[in-house]
Amino acid sequence: MTFRTLDDAPDLAGRTALVRVEFNVPMEDGQVTDDTRLRAAVPTIQRLRDAGARVALLAHFDRPKGKRVPEMSLEPLLDDLSRLIGAPVRFAKDCVGDEAKAVLADLDPGGVALLENVRFHPGEEKNDPDFARQLAALGDLYVNDAFSAAHRAHASTEGLARLLPAYAGESMRRELEALDRALGNPEKPVLGVVGGAKVSTKLDLLKNLVARLDRLAIGGGMANTFLFAQGVDIGGSLAERDMADTARDIMEAARRAGCELLLPVDVVVAKEVKPGAEAGVRALDRIAADDLILDAGPETVARLKRAMDLSKTLIWNGPLGVFEVPPFDKATVEAARHAAELAKAGKLIAVAGGGDTVAALNHAGVADDMTFVSTAGGAFLEWMEGKALPGVEVLKA
């Protein structure tokens, strides 16, 4: 896949760049509690500033549903953003119209302005052409640096890109290149790890992956559904028993495609889900009626580690067990640390993403050691499902 980046942009000096960023950050009492997404935007902002462009930042926060909700204003981000880029950031109390035009007209080359929440306007989520034209009237070019919003066809992610010369920002570029290495044009063999509670929420993902991967390990609650579909007595464990036929269909699709499915061969069980609960390892034919399967067993983890050793590329979404409740985090932590060691040694391209996945890798202390960790959530999942992302499609060269 090829897409336009800032390398393809003509002379930027004196031009105004409308930059779609992801600033939907966690807040508490009006303060940013995690500035990861703000920091991710800095390389693009700085590159544009260094080139002499005026930078107008477009973003959403929360879900105001087309109404002006003061508690969802972007203004509280100004101090943190100014600190991160080392320069003052102006604020416009609207993202279109005279207010926005006046703030941008007052910017010197290299200046930065944050425009108010685009979702205060109903035209944003409707991808209204008129609203997109109002946005486009503010700038000379468009830069999308918000992969996490690229799966939505909104005015500031898709409509605007059709009205101005459009490019991927630095954060977007890194994300697209990493995902292309993981699924688009990966080094083979490719191993996937998919965990989580329910098969039903990841049907499209599983169907796409079994057709494209060499091996696919399934963990978490969804593995229980597959075990049940194979006739294993899973006791009182979480499972979607009504999805057994679907699980068998996926297993058959994997067989036809030559994708080896790695399901648990042993499990960790307990009678209740609570920290420090008494846990035991069970073979699949030794699960009691009141047992709850809460993690993958040691032989399952050992087999997964061997599969990593045999692979060139790993793509990971979802934990292997109830990692939030020790001791049921052991399989996820051990597997994640092994993947990170291989990635650091240059033996494995390890790409991971999805909310629970990021939390699990942080819990294991290895998020910084993976080749790439996406915080994009829904966009990352839709990419793994093989779906076209509107905000990416419009950037294709």
Side-chain angles (χ1 to χ4, degrees):
M1 173 183 173
T2 56
F3 47 91
R4 296 183 299 276
T5 70
L6 288 172
D7 292 342
D8 304 306
D11 182 20
L12 298 169
R15 305 179 81 202
T16 297
L18 302 179
V19 185
R20 181 54 160 98
V21 289
E22 172 56 283
F23 283 175
N24 195 23
V25 297
M27 302 278 291
E28 189 172 316
D29 298 325
Q31 300 294 316
V32 177
T33 57
D34 184 343
D35 67 358
T36 300
R37 285 176 163 172
L38 301 183
R39 285 186 284 109
V42 172
T44 293
I45 295 170
Q46 199 56 53
R47 178 167 180 176
L48 291 165
R49 292 185 68 221
D50 291 345
R54 299 176 179 86
V55 182
L57 302 175
L58 301 171
H60 77 274
F61 180 77
D62 215 326
R63 298 178 178 177
K65 298 180 179 179
K67 298 178 181 178
R68 186 172 290 273
V69 180
E71 295 78 15
M72 297 180 189
S73 173
L74 291 170
E75 193 167 6
L77 305 185
L78 284 183
D79 288 345
D80 289 276
L81 189 57
S82 297
R83 171 180 54 81
L84 288 169
I85 67 172
V89 177
R90 297 282 304 276
F91 183 71
K93 295 185 181 297
D94 202 349
C95 62
V96 290
D98 293 340
E99 170 71 25
K101 289 177 181 178
V103 169
L104 295 180
D106 198 39
L107 283 184
D108 292 326
V112 181
L114 175 63
L115 311 189
E116 185 57 287
N117 194 338
V118 291
R119 289 189 179 176
F120 281 1
H121 292 264
E124 163 64 4
E125 294 187 79
K126 294 177 181 177
N127 200 6
D128 179 71
D130 288 336
F131 181 61
R133 281 192 287 271
Q134 291 180 63
L135 290 171
L138 301 174
D140 303 302
L141 69 147
Y142 170 75
V143 180
N144 193 338
D145 212 30
F147 178 78
S148 57
H151 60 314
R152 307 297 188 204
H154 292 172
S156 70
T157 61
E158 199 266 353
L160 183 53
R162 298 186 179 280
L163 300 175
L164 294 174
Y167 309 93
E170 297 300 285
S171 179
M172 173 76 86
R173 177 185 58 78
R174 288 195 302 273
E175 185 101 31
L176 294 178
E177 288 176 350
L179 295 183
D180 191 55
R181 290 180 76 188
L183 269 184
N185 293 284
E187 284 191 56
K188 290 180 171 289
V190 187
L191 167 66
V193 175
V194 176
K198 296 182 177 181
V199 174
S200 57
T201 61
K202 296 190 176 180
L203 267 181
D204 290 342
L205 173 62
L206 293 171
K207 290 176 180 177
N208 185 49
L209 292 184
V210 296
R212 302 179 69 174
L213 304 182
D214 299 288
R215 294 182 181 89
L216 175 62
I218 297 178
M222 67 170 59
N224 299 340
T225 300
F226 279 84
L227 293 176
F228 176 78
Q230 290 182 317
V232 175
D233 185 347
I234 60 173
S237 306
L238 170 72
E240 294 176 290
R241 290 163 174 80
D242 60 336
M243 297 290 291
D245 286 342
T246 300
R248 285 188 284 267
D249 289 343
I250 292 171
M251 288 187 277
E252 174 58 22
R255 186 194 65 76
R256 290 197 306 268
C259 174
E260 181 185 2
L261 272 190
L262 302 178
L263 295 172
V265 292
D266 62 345
V267 293
V268 174
V269 303
K271 305 303 181 186
E272 55 185 336
V273 187
K274 71 174 186 179
E278 184 177 349
V281 177
R282 297 281 189 275
L284 297 183
D285 59 353
R286 293 290 186 269
I287 300 169
D290 59 348
D291 278 340
L292 303 176
I293 300 173
L294 300 175
D295 202 7
E299 181 51 40
T300 299
V301 176
R303 189 177 60 153
L304 176 55
K305 290 163 67 175
R306 289 194 295 271
M308 291 180 185
D309 293 340
L310 294 170
S311 300
K312 293 292 187 182
T313 303
L314 168 69
I315 185 163
W316 188 330
N317 172 255
L320 301 177
V322 187
F323 79 96
E324 306 94 336
V325 185
F328 311 113
D329 58 344
K330 187 174 181 181
T332 300
V333 169
E334 187 176 342
R337 289 178 177 171
H338 190 72
E341 287 174 7
L342 292 171
K344 283 181 69 177
K347 297 177 180 179
L348 182 70
I349 296 167
V351 176
D356 285 348
T357 314
V358 177
L361 295 176
N362 284 328
H363 176 72
V366 298
D368 291 339
D369 295 329
M370 303 291 273
T371 308
F372 186 82
V373 177
S374 171
T375 59
F380 181 84
L381 283 175
E382 290 199 18
W383 181 281
M384 286 181 68
E385 290 167 359
K387 296 178 180 176
L389 307 186
V392 172
E393 292 296 304
V394 289
L395 301 177
K396 285 185 176 180

